[in-house]
Amino acid sequence: MARRVLRHALARPLARAALAVGVGLTGMSARAAEPLQFPQDTPVAVQVSLWKPGMRSGLTQPVFHNFMAQVQFSGEPAVITCALRLPDIEGEIAPGQSAEIALRCTQPFRVAPGQPDFKLYAQGRPIGQGRLQATPLQQVMNAASAPASQR
C-alpha cells in the first residue's frame, strides 16, 4: 500500500515536468507532439540576434521598429514575413546585438514542439537568428501591439 501511494505521489510531478519539456508519458505523447499554432497579426515574444557581415551573411546597418524580415522556424518548410516590433519604437538593433522583441507575422504560422528556433532573412540573405520566449514578455507584447496614438 505504501508503495502504491508513493508511486501515485510521484506520478503527478513527473507528468507535469514531462509536459513542460514536451516529453510524453503514457497517453500524453500525441498531445505533446502537436505543433503550436499562432494566428496572423498576433505579437509573439522572441529573442533575436542579428549577425554582423561575414561568412554567414549578416547586416551592415541596424534594424528599426517594424523592420520587415522573412522568418523560417526550425522544422518548418515555409518562410513567412514578419515585422520586428521593438519595445521602444525609437530604438534599433545593430548587427552583432541581441534583443527581446515581438514578431508580428502577416500570416498564421506554426512551431514544432521542442523547436522554438528560427532564422531571419532580408531579401533572401540570412541576417540573424532567434528563439521564441518560453514566458511571454508582457511589456514587449503590450508595446508592440499598442496603437500608434498610445506610443
Side-chain angles (χ1 to χ4, degrees), residues 48 89 120:
V48 296
I89 63 170
L120 286 172

Side-chain angles (χ1 to χ4, degrees), residues 48-113:
V48 296
S49 298
L50 297 181
W51 298 332
K52 292 181 179 181
M55 291 179 53
R56 294 189 283 183
S57 203
L59 290 170
T60 58
Q61 301 291 321
V63 299
F64 299 93
H65 181 70
N66 271 340
F67 178 84
M68 297 303 282
Q70 290 73 48
V71 177
Q72 184 175 25
F73 284 92
S74 298
E76 293 295 321
V79 176
I80 56 174
T81 301
C82 302
L84 305 183
R85 308 283 299 221
L86 281 59
D88 174 9
I89 63 170
E90 301 296 324
E92 64 181 47
I93 307 170
Q97 289 184 331
S98 296
E100 292 178 349
I101 64 167
L103 282 183
R104 194 169 195 162
C105 301
T106 60
Q107 59 208 61
F109 66 96
R110 66 183 189 180
V111 177

